[in-house]
Amino acid sequence: RLKNDQARKTEELFRLRQSEKILMQAHDLNPLNTDHYANLGRLYLWWGDATGGNDPSKRPLAVEYLLKATQRTPGNAQIRDELAVAYARNDRFGKAIETLDYSQHSIDPTFARTPFIKGQLLLERALAVRDALQANQPLPADGATDYGKLILEAGEAFSDTIRLDPTAYVDSNYKSRVETFVSAARPVSGTTNTTVSPAALNNVLTDTLMLSLQNERAEQEKRLADYLRERGVYNGSDNTVPADLLQSLFTNPDWAGIQTEGWERQWLDSNLNNITHLDALVNYALGYVYGKTAHPNEPTMSYTRALALEPSNQLVQQEIKK
């Protein structure tokens, strides 16, 4: 097994060096192209990351090339966000958050990945601070170290993400992220590091993520109701379309069926399909948060609503069966 691990590492290092050589050649051929700087920065970011090549000497190079990329294309929020991650991996957390704040407020306030990355970095920082406190070790340098404030700010950043685009937060890692948040929100015993009250920490999910998801659900439900009103199939004044109406439409071949090369029944109108999918996604996300925040009846209600909106959703079907 040791020989296999060594062979794998050798092969990985060979591929990284080959990629570096090719990207450098591309850069030399066209040194004015932003993509060449950005791609080199991304390579070094992976190379230096503990979950990637794990070579700390590459982390300053990631900062160098991504910074050059932003200088050539200053209005690109994605590259600037990647620069922020490079700063964080190079132990410059304060600079990372400053970069993300500039990206969010001065470049593209609609880009959902920016607050999402900010939330990730804040949560990572909070956990690093917690671990240092519990081990009686020095706190991380360069940037905020108030454990409670970091947790609250992470929740606020993720709430901004949900408001801009719920799909940027509710992804395949959503459950594990909420679990991490539940764990991180527990006060660190035996410390006076934070100025945040225990009650505020305990309620971080309800005061940030849950509230944002509830607001988003209200918007999506209204969007669906308005859409069906415009098409003359719903004349109610309430913004929650009855489940029996959705069911009757879903069994109507004029409204739902099997798409070409598909096997799941779905809404034939692509716009309606997009609306119900997003609404179902938010209800699914709310159901899971409800289950983690002492709301005994709401999880089933949210999952049931999600299934009414998107009956073929397998994730929701699994939750209903539990």
Side-chain angles (χ1 to χ4, degrees):
R1 181 176 179 178
L2 290 175
K3 288 183 179 180
N4 289 338
D5 288 345
Q6 186 59 46
R8 180 182 56 79
K9 291 178 180 178
T10 300
E11 174 68 16
E12 183 179 71
L13 182 58
F14 172 77
R15 292 180 181 278
L16 287 169
R17 287 173 174 166
Q18 284 295 102
S19 298
E20 179 184 37
K21 180 180 178 180
I22 293 169
L23 290 174
M24 280 294 186
Q25 289 173 342
H27 167 268
D28 292 341
L29 287 172
N30 189 355
L32 299 180
N33 192 321
T34 299
D35 289 343
H36 299 324
Y37 291 93
N39 288 333
L40 278 164
R42 291 163 185 147
L43 174 69
Y44 291 130
L45 187 59
W46 168 256
W47 203 334
D49 194 86
T51 61
N54 197 25
D55 183 350
S57 70
K58 304 301 180 183
R59 295 169 189 171
L61 290 173
V63 172
E64 175 186 342
Y65 280 94
L66 286 166
L67 180 59
K68 289 178 178 177
T70 63
Q71 290 168 345
R72 280 158 178 77
T73 310
N76 189 310
Q78 177 181 333
I79 296 176
R80 196 168 295 267
D81 293 350
E82 291 173 305
L83 171 62
V85 175
Y87 278 133
R89 298 295 177 257
N90 199 37
D91 298 323
R92 299 182 65 186
F93 176 78
K95 187 66 174 176
I97 298 302
E98 176 187 321
T99 301
L100 288 167
D101 285 340
Y102 181 81
S103 180
Q104 182 176 359
H105 300 300
S106 300
I107 294 182
D108 188 354
T110 67
F111 190 48
R113 286 293 296 177
T114 302
F116 176 79
I117 292 171
K118 182 180 178 181
Q120 290 281 76
L121 294 182
L122 286 164
L123 200 55
E124 287 177 10
R125 179 75 165 191
L127 296 177
V129 168
R130 183 190 66 182
D131 292 345
L133 289 169
Q134 292 177 335
N136 198 27
Q137 296 293 320
L139 296 177
D142 188 60
T145 56
D146 185 311
Y147 174 77
K149 286 185 178 180
L150 288 164
I151 292 294
L152 294 182
E153 289 174 7
E156 291 166 0
F158 287 139
S159 294
D160 286 343
T161 307
I162 292 167
R163 176 178 55 80
L164 292 169
D165 180 9
T167 63
Y169 185 71
V170 188
D171 56 15
S172 59
N173 294 318
Y174 171 71
K175 283 188 175 182
S176 63
R177 194 176 301 117
V178 171
E179 293 287 351
T180 300
F181 227 96
V182 171
S183 174
R186 297 181 186 130
V188 180
S189 60
T191 71
T192 56
N193 167 268
T194 183
T195 58
V196 176
S197 70
L201 273 176
N202 188 58
N203 295 332
V204 66
L205 278 178
T206 56
D207 292 347
T208 57
L209 298 181
M210 192 174 81
L211 183 60
S212 294
L213 287 167
Q214 288 171 334
N215 291 338
E216 185 64 28
R217 178 172 64 181
E219 289 187 16
Q220 295 305 324
E221 291 283 359
K222 183 179 185 306
R223 184 182 173 205
L224 173 62
D226 288 342
Y227 194 82
L228 294 181
R229 285 189 192 105
E230 291 173 0
R231 278 143 190 83
V233 294
Y234 177 55
N235 57 10
S237 59
D238 190 82
N239 285 331
T240 301
V241 178
D244 57 352
L245 174 58
L246 291 172
Q247 183 178 12
S248 68
L249 291 176
F250 200 74
T251 57
N252 185 332
D254 292 333
W255 282 85
I258 306 297
Q259 300 280 22
T260 304
E261 299 180 359
W263 59 274
E264 288 185 343
R265 189 176 182 85
Q266 57 185 293
W267 301 105
L268 300 178
D269 184 327
S270 60
N271 290 323
L272 178 59
N273 199 56
N274 291 336
I275 294 170
T276 55
H277 174 70
L278 191 54
D279 199 353
L281 183 76
V282 173
N283 273 282
Y284 160 77
L286 257 177
Y288 194 74
V289 172
Y290 281 142
K292 297 296 176 180
T293 53
H295 290 73
N297 299 320
E298 282 83 350
T300 299
M301 293 173 60
S302 293
Y303 292 142
T304 300
R305 181 60 180 174
L307 204 59
L309 293 159
E310 195 172 35
S312 298
N313 190 309
Q314 295 184 35
L315 283 176
V316 179
Q317 290 172 358
Q318 292 170 4
E319 294 298 333
I320 290 288
K321 290 177 182 178
K322 290 181 180 179

